[in-house]
Amino acid sequence: MQEKVIILDFGSQYTQLIARRIRELNIYSEIHPWNKAPELDDSVKAIILSGSPHSVRDEKAPKPDLSAYRGKLPLLGVCFGAQYLAQSNGGEVLPSEIREYGRANLSFVDDQHPLVSGVNSGSQVWMSHGDTIKSAPANFKTICSTSDVEFAGYAIEGEETFGIQFHPEVYHSTDGAVLLKNFVVNIAGCKQDWTPMSFVEETVDALKTKLGSDKVILGLSGGVDSSVAAMLLHKAIGKNLHCIFVDNGLLRKNEFEEVLESYKDMGLNVKGVRAADRFYAELEGHTDPEKKRKAIGKVFIDVFDEESHLVSDAKWLGQGTIYPDVIESVSASGGPSATIKSHHNVGGLPDYMKLQVVEPLRLLFKDEVRRVGKALGIKQSILGRHPFPGPGLGIRILGDITPEKVRILQEVDHIWIQGLKKANLYDDVWQAGAILLPVQSVGVMGDERTYEQAVALRAVSSTDGMTADWCHLPYEFLARVSNEIINRVKGVNRVVYDISSKPPATIEWE
């Protein structure tokens, strides 16, 4: 069995970062709600308790029973986890005289202790708490402090249980990675053998066992997640994987043909379905963004359902669900975090399809999906593709959708994206797109007055899409692209560049 580190989540905004930092050490980690902890087996090598928006002094704060772990496995409490360990063992946790949010510096480090070996005195750490450990039990030994926090780190004598008041998982804690490696490698003894290729081998073997000779249907989008999921399933079951790629008429210029050809080059069994007219008919007259989304989703389900019935004896539905989707879908009653969104990676398929779901990527973060894709030999043109919304250009055309508006935006978007690629800027941008605005403006072309469409260009930098900054692209580049759009795209006479960040704006306009 694959070695793993279990992270018990108390609702911290940084919990996913803990898992990511552990995985960057080539050690597999899993996040579980504190009140739905998995049963232990020989694969579990260590436990980490996350931070929390709660105070340990709150009546409704989580109060986990740690008897299954204490003294049996290495255990590290972070922030709330450290305070809970102290308070539940007879220590005192009180409101901080000075609340610490942000940067602090270690003033003392016991560099002889294995948890903080290699952590420098004076190194920066990231604090985010309103309480502090005022006093600790006698067997709690301080191993690091700041000028304001005596128990910035401690060890419980006689067992491999530790508490850290700061957040080693954030990059602002300059020696945080050193501390985490000390815990999972030097103390817990994890082997660091979880690699993209090991994931591929284990996943393919598991899929072969699970699926046998069953047929699987997978909806492809041209994006990273569905493409990598398809290749894993293809390696496991070959031609028993039936992929469906639907042209909703809202893809980018030439995208249907190009992506379909790429998939065939990968050896996938893919059927391309042209259904633009059906989508346009359903969208006719709709201007509200949510109604447009629902119309697009409805037709996609209808088309996908019809095509899936043409595959006889299909038993499974493949999806490109990834780990953040799984974590974010945990309910408030079942875990510490509120439900952020429900995820249906092929359009929210209805129960009447009666297919079991198989999700080969449900344990991977987005960057890990890309690394697995690289190990599978998938082209960079797919792995490096910018995120593209499910409704496609349907939510980048403000107002009603018509084939002519789609044509205009496809041409504008093509010039924009190709321009970024030609200028070697594409990989510096997290997501880029063009928006067709529901306004017309006066212009002059060849001494004649024009009254044509305005378009907005958008390019943002981000790591996860939760926040985003607009990209400071060179003026000369923007001028060149603007000029090319106006000269080449009939119907457009004005180009603007969106310089709003998220928040307060969103990445997409609808």
Side-chain angles (χ1 to χ4, degrees), residues 96-160:
S96 303
E97 294 180 8
I98 300 175
R99 295 191 304 169
E100 282 201 315
Y101 292 102
R103 295 171 177 83
N105 294 93
L106 296 177
S107 57
F108 160 73
V109 176
D110 179 1
D111 57 9
Q112 299 302 306
H113 193 277
L115 184 66
V116 290
S117 176
V119 174
N120 297 309
S121 178
S123 68
Q124 179 178 282
V125 295
W126 187 260
M127 296 287 188
S128 182
H129 59 274
D131 294 334
T132 193
I133 301 170
K134 192 68 174 178
S135 64
N139 62 335
F140 280 47
K141 178 187 176 184
T142 302
I143 56 175
C144 62
S145 306
T146 71
S147 57
D148 295 313
V149 179
E150 178 184 356
F151 299 100
Y154 63 75
I156 301 180
E157 295 179 331
E159 58 184 275
E160 292 181 321

Side-chain angles (χ1 to χ4, degrees), residues 58 71 169 204 272 296 342 377 389 489:
D58 293 344
E169 68 273 23
V204 170
I296 294 167
S342 296
V489 183

